[in-house]
Amino acid sequence: MSSQTSFPKQRTPGQMLRALRGNWGALPRLLLLFWQSGRKEVMFLLVVSLATGVAPVVQLVFLRHLIDSALSFINGQERLSMVLVWLVLLLLAYIAGIFLLQTEHWIGFGVQELLKARIQERLLKNAGQLPLGQFESAAYYDQLERAQKGVDNQIFSTLAFMVQTPATFFSIVSLLFYVALGSPLFPCLLLIGTLLPLTMIIRHHKQRYLAERKLTSDERRLNYFEEMLRTRPAAAELRLFHIQEHFLQLRRHIFNGLRDHRLQQERKLVVTSIIGDVGQTLTLGLTLFGVVALMAAGSFSLGAYATYFNAVIQFQQFLFTFLLDIATIDRDMHYIQDIFEYLDLVQSSQPPNGNRKAQQTPNVPAIQFEQVSFSYPGTEHPVLRNLNLRIQAGERIALIGENGAGKSTLAKLLLGLYQPTEGRILVNGKDLRELDFTSWRTQCAMVFQSFMRYQVTTRENIGFGDLRQLTHEPAIRSAALKSGADEMIQRLPQQYETPLGKAYDENGQDLSGGQWQKLALARAYLRNAAVLVLDEPTAALDARAEVEVYRQFRDVSHGKSALLISHRLGSARLADRIIVLENGHIVEEGTHSELLTHDGLYAAMFKIQAHWYQ
Ligand SMILES: Nc1ncnc2c1ncn2[C@@H]1O[C@H](COP(=O)(O)OP(=O)(O)OP(=O)(O)O)[C@@H](O)[C@H]1O
Ligand SMILES: [Mg+2]
């Protein structure tokens, strides 16, 4: 798992410029975000940072004067009061330095929190806007993982460095003048000594980033096994089938691979640091030797001598810190770029037709599938093939077919969650792609086959169906009555205000599969939508509840364009028309009796089910 990446040793200036720009391209956007997070705070931070940066040299100047005036006082050339003035000034400069440093820390922290809120929200908002197709590929999850890592680990350290770097820079510039007083050669020597480790570190960072990038999917897989081992969803199966040890082994294998890789990277860093630091120390030694030589020539005051060593050492330290900050920001820029790449996903993955109109279609729409073919993103396999289907306004359709026939897929296409690969879907004659998805979806309600079990209250679980009615008790209750959930809710300790799920609330209640399904149904019923889609709405319900749900479905779907997907063929009789799907296309359609007469797939499936009840 080592880094396979090799870097060209010699690069032309053009290549170097492009590489630098590529790496730092995200900086202006980051700075803009930083600025937008809080203008006043950022300005204040810069001012404080500047003052913090100049503080060390002011302190050195005061110290030098203190030493010189103390010596003059001993020789009787100066009054004591003058010595005390320099002493007080020096103390004040130190105290101001302390205040400045802490103020910088405090404001920097505040700005970071502002930025954190802003960027995290943008990330989540983006995830919420992405077309569903994005969630189909491992590459997307790798990208998300990298962006999240960038937000969690890098962005704030980058900012911390960006906040402290101007201060360090100001210290360097002010100390530069001081050090150059001895000889302009000294700063040059120290600079050369510091540049060497810097270039080595930058090179190391880049190799490390590229290698880590390749390991993102391994890391995600590691997280998956860990999650399975420590959370509830898999707990029962893991115990029953004794899979824990097997999962532990899989996890260990991935972990060891990652660990070997990291150790290797760390070893490289240690070697790089030793070489760089030794080189740097040697140049410092050389410079100090030069300072001693200057002293021997004897042109400085004692105060200047005493502080000059200090200045040289401080200058070198600040220089090293500064260049290391730059190297660290350079490293972080790779990760920051990952964040922006993720943020840009929404724009790049919008469907080509950008001028969709927010159009309210007439109350109950007619829907037409015209030669629709569809493959899930990243796959070649067509799930729907040349499908033609017209659902009249107010018509109830039952969609029947074996597992994998494409029923749920058809429903998701109808909602505009995916786009047909070929053909089109018309809503009252208008291409769905030209309609504003948000307004189209507000006209639709659906119970998904894999519906959600939200870990919030019962009321909210239903209220999410129509947020405008989230706190409207009678509407929520009425939806629950229709889905058969009310009876069960009344038996809960806090009825509609009962928190559900145990993961986030000690008093949380868990429900049975069927009870959750009734809530999902109520959620769909709350939204009094013109298009109603139920995908296997009774799969988890007992016989009595099932009959009740279908009885209610007749009423609820009255006058709506409705699609009922079910394996319980008895329920299909409720529909005006039955459509039979096989391998992604329609093989039969008609009423229950027509299809029985036709004696095709539907009749065969119906007879198998009927057989059990005889
Ligand atoms: N997200 C996905 N990515 C890739 N292929 C998918 C995805 N979801 C479903 N498929 C494939 O599409 C085909 C149709 O799936 P779909 O869920 O539409 O079937 P279905 O008729 O609803 O079946 P079931 O009765 O089991 O619910 C299946 O072969 C399945 O493997
Ligand atoms: Mg399905």
Side-chain angles (χ1 to χ4, degrees):
M1 291 207 185
S2 64
S3 157
Q4 306 291 315
T5 323
S6 61
F7 296 96
K9 288 222 156 48
Q10 291 293 324
R11 286 199 283 187
T12 64
Q15 279 173 327
M16 279 174 71
L17 197 70
R18 264 196 302 282
L20 195 70
R21 208 174 335 122
N23 212 15
W24 287 68
L27 185 65
R29 286 179 76 178
L30 181 65
L31 288 175
L32 186 68
L33 263 181
F34 190 34
W35 175 244
Q36 287 168 342
S37 315
R39 289 154 202 238
K40 265 191 298 201
E41 288 85 348
V42 171
M43 282 299 286
F44 194 38
L45 192 60
L46 275 179
V47 173
V48 174
S49 177
L50 186 120
T52 315
V54 181
V57 82
V58 174
Q59 290 158 1
L60 274 180
V61 170
F62 288 169
L63 180 65
R64 173 188 175 156
H65 282 291
L66 176 66
I67 295 171
D68 285 341
S69 62
L71 280 175
S72 307
F73 169 68
I74 293 165
N75 297 335
Q77 297 155 346
E78 189 77 272
R79 279 173 293 129
L80 180 63
S81 58
M82 214 45 228
V83 182
L84 290 178
V85 166
W86 286 117
L87 182 65
V88 169
L89 280 176
L90 181 64
L91 282 179
L92 285 178
Y94 279 134
I95 292 171
I98 295 168
F99 271 99
L100 283 169
L101 206 65
Q102 293 308 321
T103 314
E104 185 194 73
H105 173 79
W106 168 241
I107 306 183
F109 184 81
V111 173
Q112 277 182 28
E113 285 297 303
L114 287 170
L115 183 74
K116 191 169 164 177
R118 197 178 177 92
I119 200 145
Q120 191 64 279
E121 182 149 339
R122 274 190 62 178
L123 216 67
L124 293 171
K125 203 167 170 182
N126 256 45
Q129 286 174 348
L130 282 173
L132 277 195
Q134 283 288 352
F135 295 90
E136 307 289 346
S137 78
Y140 164 78
Y141 292 100
D142 284 351
Q143 200 171 8
L144 173 63
E145 170 91 1
R146 283 198 299 272
Q148 192 57 54
K149 243 176 155 178
V151 172
D152 291 343
N153 308 333
Q154 247 69 39
I155 200 161
F156 306 116
S157 81
T158 315
L159 278 184
F161 284 123
M162 275 163 51
V163 167
Q164 90 187 23
T165 305
T168 318
F169 181 72
F170 294 135
S171 300
I172 292 170
V173 174
S174 45
L175 282 166
L176 173 74
F177 288 111
Y178 202 82
V179 173
L181 282 180
S183 159
L185 257 183
F186 295 155
C188 294
L189 205 57
L190 292 170
L191 183 67
I192 292 167
T194 316
L195 277 177
L196 170 75
L198 176 84
T199 47
M200 291 173 72
I201 285 174
I202 287 187
R203 204 178 131 95
H204 170 81
H205 281 159
K206 184 157 186 181
Q207 282 182 343
R208 194 176 194 142
Y209 167 78
L210 290 172
E212 267 182 23
R213 207 180 146 96
K214 287 192 194 135
L215 297 174
T216 317
S217 53
D218 278 353
E219 263 174 28
R220 284 200 303 110
R221 203 174 282 276
L222 182 82
N223 289 340
Y224 170 73
F225 287 123
E226 290 181 350
E227 184 80 3
M228 287 296 109
L229 284 162
R230 67 180 166 222
T231 57
R232 187 175 144 187
E237 282 211 11
L238 252 61
R239 278 158 185 73
L240 178 69
F241 299 119
H242 301 291
I243 324 176
Q244 286 109 323
E245 192 44 47
H246 180 65
F247 270 23
L248 274 171
Q249 261 179 30
L250 291 172
R251 180 204 163 270
R252 203 175 301 132
H253 178 71
I254 301 173
F255 182 85
N256 289 349
L258 289 168
R259 186 202 51 202
D260 289 349
H261 159 80
R262 295 210 166 107
L263 282 175
Q264 197 185 358
Q265 289 293 333
E266 210 55 37
R267 198 177 57 232
K268 281 186 191 166
L269 181 64
V270 167
V271 174
T272 307
S273 301
I274 290 177
I275 297 174
D277 289 356
V278 168
Q280 197 192 358
T281 310
L282 290 178
T283 49
L284 177 67
L286 205 63
T287 313
L288 291 179
F289 180 75
V291 176
V292 173
L294 259 183
M295 283 176 78
S299 56
F300 281 3
S301 71
L302 198 61
Y305 283 143
T307 50
Y308 196 74
F309 272 114
N310 210 339
V312 168
I313 292 170
Q314 276 201 40
F315 175 76
Q316 194 240 15
Q317 280 171 351
F318 278 120
L319 193 65
F320 184 63
T321 310
F322 176 74
L323 292 175
L324 199 63
D325 283 358
I326 299 287
T328 313
I329 295 175
D330 177 82
R331 177 199 69 189
D332 289 354
M333 278 303 142
H334 296 293
Y335 298 89
I336 306 290
Q337 241 166 359
D338 285 336
I339 300 177
F340 286 119
E341 247 172 52
Y342 180 80
L343 290 178
D344 290 341
L345 258 187
V346 166
Q347 278 157 357
S348 62
S349 54
Q350 287 299 342
N353 195 336
N355 49 4
R356 281 171 270 115
K357 295 174 198 69
Q359 216 163 21
Q360 204 68 22
T361 47
N363 275 346
V364 180
I367 300 156
Q368 183 157 4
F369 282 65
E370 228 179 50
Q371 288 291 330
V372 168
S373 296
F374 176 73
S375 309
Y376 278 97
T379 68
E380 296 290 308
H381 171 71
V383 176
L384 299 179
R385 285 178 289 165
N386 297 329
L387 189 133
N388 289 299
L389 168 67
R390 183 173 171 83
I391 306 173
Q392 304 291 357
E395 191 183 18
R396 276 182 291 222
I397 299 274
L399 195 57
I400 302 297
E402 293 173 345
N403 292 135
K407 306 178 296 294
S408 301
T409 307
L410 187 149
K412 288 178 195 161
L413 255 70
L414 172 73
L415 262 66
L417 294 171
Y418 292 94
Q419 302 299 312
T421 326
E422 281 168 44
R424 49 189 197 152
I425 299 169
L426 303 171
V427 177
N428 286 331
K430 291 229 164 55
D431 195 332
L432 191 56
R433 267 178 276 223
E434 284 165 22
L435 297 183
D436 175 66
F437 286 141
T438 319
S439 72
W440 168 238
R441 285 179 198 146
T442 55
Q443 296 176 67
C444 304
M446 176 162 176
V447 175
F448 289 93
Q449 189 170 16
S450 44
F451 54 84
M452 282 305 298
R453 299 161 187 224
Y454 295 105
Q455 310 278 294
V456 292
T457 64
T458 327
R459 178 179 54 76
E460 287 165 304
N461 258 286
I462 300 173
F464 288 170
D466 183 358
L467 284 177
R468 290 167 305 182
Q469 310 201 63
L470 191 60
T471 54
H472 191 235
E473 234 17 82
I476 301 243
R477 176 121 202 258
S478 151
L481 279 166
K482 285 180 200 152
S483 77
D486 181 67
E487 196 185 321
M488 161 278 281
I489 296 171
Q490 295 302 342
R491 288 200 301 270
L492 293 173
Q494 292 160 265
Q495 288 80 42
Y496 282 84
E497 296 307 322
T498 311
L500 297 182
K502 291 186 178 2
Y504 304 101
D505 196 321
E506 271 307 310
N507 301 319
Q509 299 287 316
D510 213 343
L511 302 179
S512 74
Q515 290 168 333
W516 278 112
Q517 189 154 30
K518 286 178 187 170
L519 284 185
L521 256 170
R523 183 154 62 237
Y525 285 164
L526 180 72
R527 173 177 291 194
N528 191 16
V531 179
L532 182 63
V533 182
L534 304 185
D535 192 353
E536 285 289 329
T538 61
L541 299 193
D542 62 48
R544 193 171 63 86
E546 182 182 9
V547 170
E548 186 52 28
V549 162
Y550 286 126
R551 199 181 61 75
Q552 284 288 354
F553 171 71
R554 269 182 93 94
D555 297 343
V556 175
S557 62
H558 182 74
K560 295 180 173 183
S561 305
L563 191 67
L564 172 66
I565 301 173
S566 177
H567 287 295
R568 317 276 173 109
L569 298 197
S571 67
R573 291 197 222 182
L574 296 170
D576 303 319
R577 195 152 50 107
I578 300 170
I579 305 285
V580 185
L581 209 60
E582 192 182 26
N583 286 331
H585 54 242
I586 296 172
V587 287
E588 288 170 35
E589 62 175 288
T591 60
H592 174 70
S593 48
E594 281 169 3
L595 290 178
L596 280 189
T597 318
H598 182 254
D599 206 19
L601 184 60
Y602 178 82
M605 285 162 73
F606 186 78
K607 279 175 200 155
I608 293 170
Q609 286 197 0
H611 174 74
W612 281 103
Y613 295 104
Q614 280 164 4

